[in-house]
Amino acid sequence: YLDVQKPDIYLKGSGIVFEGERIERTEKTKIAGTTVMERIGFKFVIPLADVKTMQFHFYCRTPYGNVRMRRIRYGKFFPISDEIASNYFWKNGWKLWGSRNRFFVSACGKQGHLASELAFLKELWKKNKVGYRKAVFARLACHVLKWFKRKPIWLICDKADRADDNGEAFFKYVQKFGHGKVKPIFLVGKGSKDYKRLSKIGKTVPYMSWRHKQLFLIADCIISAYSHNEIDNPFFEYNAPYRNLMQNCKFIFLQHGITKADVSKSLNRHHKNISGFVTAAETERNSILETPGYQYNEKNIWLTGFPRHDYLYHNEKKAIVIMPTWRQRLFGGYSAKNSRWTLKEGFRESEYYLFYQGLLNHYRLLKRAQELGYQINFVPHPILFPYIDEFSVPEPVKMWGTEVVYRDMFAENQLLVTDFSSVAFDFAYLRKPVLYAQFDVSNYDEGYFNDVHDGFGEVEYDLESTVNRIIEYMENGCQLKDKYRERIEKFFAFNDQNNCKRVYEKIMEMERA
């Protein structure tokens, strides 16, 4: 725009001008620390009461006159695409369709809906682009399946290759206490060790299989502990034939850990379009509502507690566990098919690797642990499970990979050593001490929760201080100090076993609205 500080966009339909409400966005392009490009949002509200058919164009006001925009690019959550001329979206007696430079809205009954669908299928068949003819059969199957659908379908998942998170916990609850009001289906890779186990609990479908994609088109909700792009778009770049059907499946984000930093760049409404965002603490919920970049309101952010916290238990042994999070800068591309990140070269020379190798092989730590009868467990972040052989640990240290069950690990260990991982919250939920080893704290983007002032244990910044503190805890039986107990009591909104119940009720309430 000629005046980047005041872009002025309006929408014109059948001679009527609709002014837009400006919405701040978080996406910015910077060069040498200076913003050179940013996205600005505008919201338009179009009353439909008296509409028969309206044609809309976007305009930009400039000092030299008003300019009509000649290219509309439809975002990933918009229900139509200009790739297909007969594209359309139908809902509650209204039809939306469009092209490269305009879109239309009109009243449309069921007969008009049927005619639009037939025209759409005909074009898909004639074009015969990649996946288009397959989409014809998928859409026909979708319409048939809807006739036999008797109750809401909820697709529930954690990751492509494993469960054992909020998704699994919630699936168990719905299967047992849903009273047959909904049909829960769990998604996990057929090659995962969890597939057979969960199949004994309830209906389980292979993640990213054709059955998964078909169910997505008729499902009411996708409920997940993760927010990977395939969660709300299992069709990836071949989604043009399905866009109008995909709008009916709402995304419920259970989270896989407490959000304590500002992650609005990746979890904002424009990027993820979350209908229900589950939180476990009042300060966590408020931080999301009060950070402009997220763009969610109170009906989207739910204070319910985490489903997996309902299943935490105590079974303490003389053991401590080291559970660091990962570092995205040490990884390259991401594969959606198996939820795997590619490890970059030079990992073994990184500060991250050298610190944990030093800790796991520290002679004084291992010697004192043996004298006091403590077992040391090491659980890398799940993203590092495929690369677990990169670490070498001595025999007294037990290293865990895909076989780990987190609730068992939390139950059996007396002390958790982590860096910035949200597992600290699960461990503290059991009223156990946490030690933060933050040797690279300068690379961490802090949010509302400061580990020094709000955390559940001491923060150490180098290897020797971390070792000294671990030994101190072991020598004192890994007792939780009063200072940190008070912080834990203050932080969590709930300390019962009704988190799954609250999430279930919020989704049912959303479906009724």
Side-chain angles (χ1 to χ4, degrees), residues 177-424:
F177 299 105
H179 308 297
K181 293 181 180 179
V182 299
K183 185 175 182 179
I185 300 172
F186 198 84
L187 306 171
V188 69
K190 200 163 187 177
S192 167
K193 65 179 180 61
D194 295 322
Y195 185 89
K196 188 175 181 180
R197 177 175 61 83
L198 286 164
S199 296
K200 296 177 182 178
I201 297 173
K203 179 69 174 177
T204 305
V205 168
Y207 189 89
M208 291 306 295
S209 64
W210 180 244
R211 181 64 175 150
H212 167 188
K213 295 176 183 179
Q214 189 72 65
L215 284 166
F216 183 85
L217 297 177
I218 63 171
D220 298 85
C221 295
I222 176 77
I223 304 167
S224 176
Y226 289 79
S227 61
H228 299 144
N229 288 333
E230 71 271 16
I231 298 295
D232 52 37
N233 179 15
F235 299 97
F236 300 104
E237 64 268 28
Y238 303 112
N239 67 357
Y242 307 104
R243 288 173 76 110
N244 58 351
L245 300 179
M246 290 167 59
Q247 306 307 310
N248 299 316
C249 190
K250 299 181 180 69
F251 177 29
I252 311 301
F253 185 39
L254 299 177
Q255 295 205 76
H256 55 278
I258 297 282
T259 295
K260 63 176 185 174
D262 179 0
V263 289
S264 59
K265 288 184 179 180
S266 59
L267 288 179
N268 65 75
R269 187 176 182 185
H270 307 286
H271 193 211
K272 292 299 177 184
N273 197 29
I274 299 169
S275 296
F277 195 132
V278 168
T279 62
E282 188 77 39
T283 50
E284 179 191 24
R285 179 176 183 267
N286 291 342
S287 74
I288 297 169
L289 288 172
E290 294 167 4
T291 302
Y294 284 105
Q295 289 293 315
Y296 293 110
N297 55 40
E298 291 189 358
K299 75 174 184 179
N300 302 123
I301 311 302
W302 302 344
L303 182 59
T304 58
F306 280 1
R308 68 175 183 237
H309 287 174
D310 288 349
Y311 294 87
L312 294 179
Y313 68 102
H314 289 274
N315 185 26
E316 284 71 25
K317 299 176 181 178
K318 292 197 76 173
I320 68 169
V321 60
I322 300 170
M323 300 179 71
T325 188
W326 66 306
R327 302 294 189 274
Q328 188 167 351
R329 62 183 178 274
L330 300 178
F331 292 81
Y334 169 74
S335 170
K337 189 173 183 180
N338 54 18
S339 294
R340 178 176 292 191
W341 290 78
T342 303
L343 193 65
K344 289 181 180 178
E345 291 185 10
F347 174 71
R348 291 195 175 192
E349 287 74 48
S350 68
E351 183 182 17
Y352 176 86
Y353 176 82
L354 294 173
F355 178 86
Y356 285 106
Q357 276 297 112
L359 181 61
L360 296 169
N361 290 272
H362 199 284
Y363 174 77
R364 186 160 53 88
L365 173 63
L366 298 178
K367 182 175 183 293
R368 193 64 179 130
Q370 186 177 30
E371 291 170 350
L372 295 168
Y374 272 88
Q375 167 69 45
I376 297 178
N377 296 300
F378 177 54
V379 184
H381 190 277
I383 287 174
L384 275 161
F385 283 169
Y387 312 103
I388 199 166
D389 290 340
E390 295 286 336
F391 294 95
S392 58
V393 299
E395 191 173 322
V397 176
K398 184 171 182 180
M399 185 157 60
W400 297 78
T402 55
E403 76 281 5
V404 69
V405 177
Y406 283 91
R407 60 191 293 265
D408 293 345
M409 196 58 59
F410 298 146
E412 295 172 4
N413 286 274
Q414 295 182 350
L415 171 70
L416 168 70
V417 181
T418 186
D419 41 21
F420 311 102
S421 176
S422 60
V423 296

Side-chain angles (χ1 to χ4, degrees), residues 123-223:
E123 183 177 352
L124 288 178
W125 189 264
K126 281 186 174 181
K127 279 196 169 184
N128 194 23
K129 292 176 68 175
V130 176
Y132 274 31
R133 288 193 173 180
K134 184 189 289 185
V136 171
F137 295 105
R139 290 181 69 93
L140 288 171
C142 175
H143 296 310
V144 172
L145 289 171
K146 282 183 177 179
W147 279 101
F148 294 96
K149 183 180 172 182
R150 296 292 179 263
K151 59 184 70 171
I153 294 175
W154 291 1
L155 302 180
I156 306 172
C157 62
D158 287 319
K159 296 186 71 177
D161 56 349
R162 68 177 285 123
D164 191 32
D165 209 322
N166 281 316
E168 178 181 332
F170 187 64
F171 177 64
K172 288 178 179 177
Y173 175 87
V174 179
Q175 191 66 31
K176 188 174 182 180
F177 299 105
H179 308 297
K181 293 181 180 179
V182 299
K183 185 175 182 179
I185 300 172
F186 198 84
L187 306 171
V188 69
K190 200 163 187 177
S192 167
K193 65 179 180 61
D194 295 322
Y195 185 89
K196 188 175 181 180
R197 177 175 61 83
L198 286 164
S199 296
K200 296 177 182 178
I201 297 173
K203 179 69 174 177
T204 305
V205 168
Y207 189 89
M208 291 306 295
S209 64
W210 180 244
R211 181 64 175 150
H212 167 188
K213 295 176 183 179
Q214 189 72 65
L215 284 166
F216 183 85
L217 297 177
I218 63 171
D220 298 85
C221 295
I222 176 77
I223 304 167

